[in-house]
Amino acid sequence: SDPAHFPWREEPVPLEQYWSSAKVRAHSLLENTGLLPPEPSKQPATMHSLFGFDPRPLQEEVEHLTIFSGPSLIILEDSTGGGKTEAALLLAYKLIQQGLGNGIYFALPTMATANAMYERIAVRGYDGLCLYERYYSGKNPISVVLAHGQRLLSTRYRELTLPDSTAPDK
């Protein structure tokens, strides 16, 4: 209903012509407002491309894992320090690249663990990009949210969302 993209017309237009034109204008409107989902990156789904280091054994298994298009339950088990989190992040990247997901949601038990995970995905890495930026091509905006009530105490959250913030440091 935005008159800048969908102006009122007095003269009748055949439905096929209107529909074709309306789809182009709607896509343009969505692109200009940042509402289109981000496009997955074309970078290889490897530990090196995401994290800048060679894979540990579990991570190497995930690199070579064949992803099926149907429902899946994938359980990653390894010892402490075996790289399960990075393996899971690589797996999510592979799913997003194959069109089997649009993003990641972390449901963590405490604000401290949520802050720690947010820090892991939002810190600038070996190539100057945040992990979440490596997942996508950069064509459309990426939404990254820290969704607990004390998020303004997170320095990283403030840096990403409120660059001129005067919120207190934690």
Side-chain angles (χ1 to χ4, degrees):
S1 66
D2 181 342
H5 287 82
F6 298 95
W8 174 257
R9 297 181 66 166
E10 291 287 330
E11 68 281 353
V13 177
L15 181 59
E16 296 81 19
Q17 180 183 348
Y18 171 79
W19 183 244
S20 176
S21 170
K23 288 192 301 187
V24 170
R25 291 191 308 253
H27 185 78
S28 172
L29 177 64
L30 290 172
E31 203 167 50
N32 292 336
T33 57
L35 292 175
L36 289 178
E39 292 179 358
S41 170
K42 304 288 189 238
Q43 294 298 316
T46 65
M47 291 304 292
H48 200 272
S49 69
L50 281 183
F51 299 101
F53 56 78
D54 293 331
R56 294 182 175 158
L58 173 66
Q59 298 163 347
E60 191 168 7
E61 289 296 321
V62 171
E63 281 185 351
H64 301 295
L65 183 67
T66 300
I67 306 291
F68 298 101
S69 62
S72 298
L73 174 64
I74 302 168
I75 299 172
L76 303 174
E77 287 187 277
D78 203 346
S79 60
T80 302
K84 295 179 294 292
T85 300
E86 289 83 1
L89 289 166
L90 174 61
L91 180 59
Y93 179 57
K94 290 178 76 160
L95 291 166
I96 290 168
Q97 278 190 319
Q98 293 183 26
L100 301 173
N102 295 319
I104 303 171
Y105 175 84
F106 296 100
L108 298 165
T110 67
M111 287 188 287
T113 55
N115 288 347
M117 182 55 74
Y118 191 81
E119 182 73 25
R120 286 175 85 169
I121 65 165
V123 69
R124 301 252 172 236
Y126 71 97
D127 58 358
L129 297 174
C130 297
L131 177 63
Y132 69 86
E133 292 172 320
R134 288 187 211 111
Y135 274 54
Y136 301 101
S137 68
K139 182 172 182 200
N140 296 321
I142 304 166
S143 175
V144 181
V145 178
L146 181 60
H148 63 67
Q150 299 300 315
R151 65 185 167 269
L152 289 178
L153 295 177
S154 165
T155 301
R156 179 72 59 206
Y157 176 80
R158 289 194 325 267
E159 287 172 359
L160 289 175
T161 59
L162 310 166
D164 299 326
S165 173
T166 58
D169 283 334
K170 184 176 179 184

